[in-house]
Amino acid sequence: MTDTGAWTTFGERPAYESPWVTVTLADVQAPNGARFEHHVIRLPPVAIALLVNDDEEALMLWRHRFVTGQWGYELLGGLVEPGEDPAQAAAREAREESGWQPLGEPDHLATFEPLPGQVASPVSAYLWRRADHVGDPTDTEEAGRLDWVPLARAPDLMRRGQLLGSGTLVALLAYLSGATTQPRQNHDSTGFRLP
């Protein structure tokens, strides 16, 4: 099988750089032969934690996103720090944003690029079925209301636009579609414990 329709990149130059976003202009040639500069947005990698308890509820943060002016539910997660493994980042972010520490090895649900036509930002989503409540959230920028949301509500929340971000949507859809190797029931006594 041959790849048809490949783009050719001749180079890339920065237009704007910060620790959170880099905008470049790429010198590219499209499959039709046209050559031009194309904006590329590069974001650091993101890691998402899906914590599901024995009652098939996911721990989510009800919060406001000023960029889009939306209120809705998000899974816990954030930027992967330099040198950090994405699964470790997802666990760290869950602890910082919720006070719940994921336990054990996670199940990798997906790694994807949310807008590959113009944005490079790998997002990795992980599932944990066990966690301990270790205290209050420590990340005050990610303030919101923590809720254990029944997964049966996810389709309705999605239709109503109340699930925010592609990381939340992809992780929940992967889990609900059965794209996991972890059993959904029969967890031992080290499962979720209330404070």
Side-chain angles (χ1 to χ4, degrees):
M1 179 197 249
T2 60
D3 291 333
T4 57
W7 289 55
T8 303
T9 303
F10 299 99
E12 205 169 318
R13 62 184 173 87
Y16 173 80
E17 294 179 278
S18 82
W20 301 277
V21 64
T22 299
V23 179
T24 66
L25 290 170
D27 179 7
V28 297
Q29 185 172 13
N32 66 2
R35 187 169 172 175
F36 53 91
E37 283 192 316
H38 191 290
H39 285 85
V40 176
I41 301 166
R42 298 192 181 280
L43 306 174
V46 172
I48 302 294
L50 171 57
L51 280 62
V52 177
N53 66 19
D54 288 342
D55 293 327
E56 288 298 298
E57 297 168 324
L59 186 59
M60 292 195 229
L61 188 62
W62 176 263
R63 63 166 307 167
H64 180 251
R65 285 295 187 184
F66 81 92
V67 174
T68 57
Q70 291 178 286
W71 282 92
Y73 281 111
E74 283 185 359
L75 293 176
L76 309 167
L79 299 180
V80 178
E81 295 177 357
E84 189 177 33
D85 176 79
Q88 292 171 334
R92 175 185 50 76
E93 289 284 344
R95 183 183 65 252
E96 291 173 358
E97 292 179 2
S98 72
W100 285 85
Q101 175 63 55
L103 299 174
E105 290 298 313
D107 191 12
H108 178 246
L109 293 173
T111 296
F112 63 97
E113 292 281 353
L115 294 167
Q118 195 165 15
V119 179
S121 177
V123 179
S124 298
Y126 299 90
L127 166 68
W128 280 272
R129 300 282 287 167
R130 301 183 316 133
D132 277 338
H133 189 265
V134 295
D136 292 328
T138 58
D139 186 346
T140 57
E141 283 185 17
E142 301 293 335
R145 185 184 75 229
L146 285 165
D147 290 329
W148 286 99
V149 178
L151 288 166
R153 288 187 57 206
D156 181 56
L157 290 168
M158 184 171 40
R159 279 189 294 276
R160 294 169 49 183
Q162 292 182 322
L163 292 177
L164 303 182
S166 59
T168 296
L169 290 166
V170 170
L172 289 174
L173 291 171
Y175 179 79
L176 293 171
S177 71
T180 175
T181 58
Q182 291 192 7
R184 297 177 93 170
Q185 298 177 4
N186 301 324
H187 303 291
D188 63 25
S189 63
T190 61
F192 287 85
R193 292 188 285 274
L194 296 174

